[in-house]
Amino acid sequence: MIEQDTIRLLRECSSGVQMGTESIENVLDSVQSDSLKKSLSDCKDKHLVLDKKISEILNRYGDDEKSPGAMAKTMSKAKVAMKLAMNDSDETIADLMTEGCNMGVKTLSRYLNQYKAADEQSKSITKDLISLEETLAKDIRRFL
């Protein structure tokens, strides 16, 4: 049970990290403020570090990373494109990213509760990812 919950939790973290990284990449070229761009870039870099750690652990279990669902990726990309087409301000970008962070926190918290038997390392990684999302949302509030 521990191994199954650990793998499932890490797969969800992997999916969340990829979704977060892609979301940041989708808006980065539209960012006008250097400080917002730095906050987003720093967060993306931290996502990539976590992604590598998750991938290494999953590989040890003989498992692969989980990609976000195609529908979720398409819907997210379409929403970003539509909102930026209407208003490509830093305020819009901060709003979109805050929504994404909040969704990530909610989803990851749900999985953390669902996969209670997961090992402590995977729970710690999940909590680090939740913290990363919460910190980004807090850091970019000034642009809302």
Side-chain angles (χ1 to χ4, degrees):
M1 185 70 157
I2 291 173
E3 186 174 321
Q4 284 181 336
D5 275 13
T6 297
I7 291 169
R8 289 178 181 146
L9 183 58
L10 289 173
R11 281 182 192 158
E12 296 304 337
C13 287
S14 174
S15 177
V17 165
Q18 290 177 49
M19 193 74 171
T21 302
E22 287 180 30
S23 295
I24 292 170
E25 288 172 352
N26 287 339
V27 300
L28 219 45
D29 287 339
S30 299
V31 175
Q32 297 162 7
S33 164
D34 288 338
S35 61
L36 178 57
K37 189 172 276 198
K38 181 170 177 14
S39 290
L40 293 172
S41 293
D42 289 349
C43 186
K44 178 184 162 194
D45 292 343
K46 291 174 184 172
H47 272 75
L48 293 173
V49 168
L50 278 176
D51 189 42
K52 184 177 180 186
K53 187 185 279 188
I54 292 164
S55 181
E56 288 170 0
I57 297 168
L58 283 171
N59 282 336
R60 276 190 256 139
Y61 280 105
D63 209 278
D64 295 323
E65 295 179 84
K66 176 184 174 185
S67 295
M71 182 65 97
K73 285 172 61 171
T74 301
M75 297 280 285
S76 175
K77 206 171 208 174
K79 180 179 181 178
V80 168
M82 184 182 73
K83 285 209 172 195
L84 290 179
M86 293 187 318
N87 180 359
D88 68 347
S89 69
D90 286 349
E91 181 180 339
T92 301
I93 292 168
D95 184 58
L96 285 165
M97 295 308 300
T98 300
E99 282 181 29
C101 288
N102 291 339
M103 183 177 289
V105 167
K106 179 180 165 184
T107 302
L108 289 167
S109 295
R110 182 180 300 126
Y111 287 125
L112 192 58
N113 292 328
Q114 182 177 347
Y115 300 121
K116 292 180 193 273
D119 70 12
E120 291 306 312
Q121 183 181 24
S122 63
K123 288 179 183 178
S124 178
I125 289 170
T126 307
K127 290 173 186 173
D128 289 347
L129 185 52
I130 289 170
S131 177
L132 185 58
E133 298 294 315
E134 289 172 333
T135 300
L136 179 61
K138 183 178 177 188
D139 287 350
I140 64 176
R141 283 182 192 155
R142 60 193 158 118
F143 295 99
L144 293 173

